[in-house]
Structures are given as C-alpha cells and as structure tokens.
Amino acid sequence: MTLEEFTAALGRDVSRETFARLEAFAALVHRWNPAINLVAKSTLPHLWHRHILDSAQILGHARDDIAHWADLGSGGGFPGIIIAVLLAQDSPQTRVTLVESDQRKATFLAESSRQLGLNPVILTTRAESTRPLAADVISARALAPLPRLLPLIALHAAPQTIALLPKGAGYQQELAEAAADWRFTSTAHPSITDPKAVILELRNLTHV
C-alpha cells in the first residue's frame, strides 16, 4: 500500500515520516510473526488492509484532546502501536499505555517501540490485575466479547472515558447480552475495511 492509497482510504493526512514508521512496523511484524504468531499467518499478505488500516481508522473516532490512551490486550500491536505512531504525529503529548500479558508479545511491543522511536508504557500484566489507568480513550481489538470486556473497561475508565472497540458482524448480539448487566451509550461507526464490521463507541458506562 502506498502513502497516497493509505491516506485516501483513511481520510486523514499522514506524513511521509509517519508512513515510514508504519512500513518499518510492518516489516517487524513479518520478521517476528513466524516465531510469535502476532497475527494469523493467512492474514499476512493482507497486513496493511486487514491490520494496519483497520487499526488506524480507530483514531478518527477519538476526540482531539486526548491525554491518555490505553490499549488492552495489545497483542502484536494492533491497534496500540499503530495508534502510538499516528499520535506521535498528531498529538505527541498524549500518553499511550499498552497492556499485554504475554511476555513474548510484550517483548515485541517494546522492541518495536524502540526501533520506531516511540515511548508507550508497556505493562506485562493481565488487564484485570493492572492498576486502574483512568484513560481518556480505551481500545481493545479481538480481546473478548462485550460481556467480558466491559468490566475491564470499567476498571480502567475515568468519568469521561470513551471506549473504541472494533467488532464484527455479531456486535448487536454482544450489545444485547452486555445490556443485562451494564448501562452505556453506544454508537456503531461503519468500518472502512469490512462492510460487516463496526467501530463500537461506548460512553457513560455504569454497572447495573
């Protein structure tokens, strides 16, 4: 994917320096994936569309004045590292925290951050046992269904926190199941990478 194709698909300006960082990260994923399985092998040929662009679109649904972004279950860096790269361009003062309990994947996140010149805080713990982060924005991609995910978000939320969660075609069923124990305001933003998927925006999360 070229810079022009990426910016056109994303609908926002991306500098050549930022795009070069994304290219460097893509190369790292290809290099490490055989040993750690950062992403499904079948998706590697579609890494830019399936993982990088899919992660990058999340930032477009966050407000501009973000002090602290927390990504739960960061895995291979999607979306956490991608968000950190884009924030380094658009909002370098924003703190980024990546929570990943798998030691090997956390090592990959740390080495990738070092090589890309990023400085996120990387916590090698499970989200449920991590100290409350009080983040302005919380993201989590393919971590858990909403009924299991919302307690983690609530733990790390502040009063005005928004959660931005990529979800597939079954998101409405997840919302219905989560509504049994939680109250929240939800908005489903269409995904630019999958017509059946959405970026689920949650606000005002409270336990019943």
Side-chain angles (χ1 to χ4, degrees):
M1 183 174 284
T2 65
L3 171 60
E4 292 72 22
E5 291 169 337
F6 186 74
T7 55
L10 193 59
R12 63 186 299 144
D13 291 333
V14 175
S15 71
R16 292 195 178 279
E17 178 185 4
T18 296
F19 190 71
R21 273 177 159 165
L22 294 174
E23 289 182 313
F25 181 64
L28 286 167
V29 172
H30 277 279
R31 190 177 313 146
W32 284 61
N33 203 66
I36 301 184
N37 194 33
L38 301 167
V39 299
K41 184 179 179 180
S42 62
T43 67
L44 269 180
H46 315 288
L47 182 67
W48 276 89
H49 184 83
R50 178 67 181 82
H51 296 291
I52 297 177
L53 182 61
D54 190 61
S55 295
Q57 68 174 321
I58 298 171
L59 184 59
H61 301 294
R63 62 180 189 266
D64 294 331
D65 58 335
I66 308 166
H68 185 195
W69 186 302
D71 184 50
L72 307 182
S74 295
F78 303 105
I81 292 289
I82 305 302
I83 294 298
V85 169
L86 296 174
L87 286 174
Q89 170 188 300
D90 295 338
S91 182
Q93 74 280 2
T94 300
R95 293 182 294 122
V96 177
T97 299
L98 310 180
V99 181
E100 174 51 51
S101 62
D102 186 300
Q103 181 63 60
R104 296 183 306 161
K105 290 179 180 178
T107 298
F108 170 75
L109 295 174
E111 180 60 18
S112 298
S113 298
R114 185 189 68 79
Q115 293 197 31
L116 299 176
L118 305 172
N119 60 348
V121 173
I122 300 171
L123 302 177
T124 312
T125 58
R126 297 183 64 84
E128 59 267 32
S129 58
T130 301
R131 58 176 174 77
L133 296 172
D136 299 298
V137 179
I138 297 174
S139 57
R141 183 175 184 258
L143 178 59
L146 279 180
R148 288 168 43 204
L149 186 56
L150 293 190
L152 305 180
I153 292 171
L155 174 63
H156 298 294
Q160 303 303 316
T161 296
I162 67 170
L164 295 174
L165 312 170
K167 286 291 179 181
Y171 77 93
Q172 290 179 319
Q173 180 64 32
E174 289 190 37
L175 283 171
E177 292 174 1
D181 296 308
W182 297 88
R183 295 291 177 265
F184 47 80
T185 304
S186 66
T187 304
H189 303 284
S191 170
I192 65 173
T193 61
D194 182 347
K196 296 181 180 180
V198 299
I199 307 300
L200 198 59
E201 176 185 333
L202 300 183
R203 299 174 180 263
N204 307 315
L205 179 65
T206 57
H207 194 264
V208 175

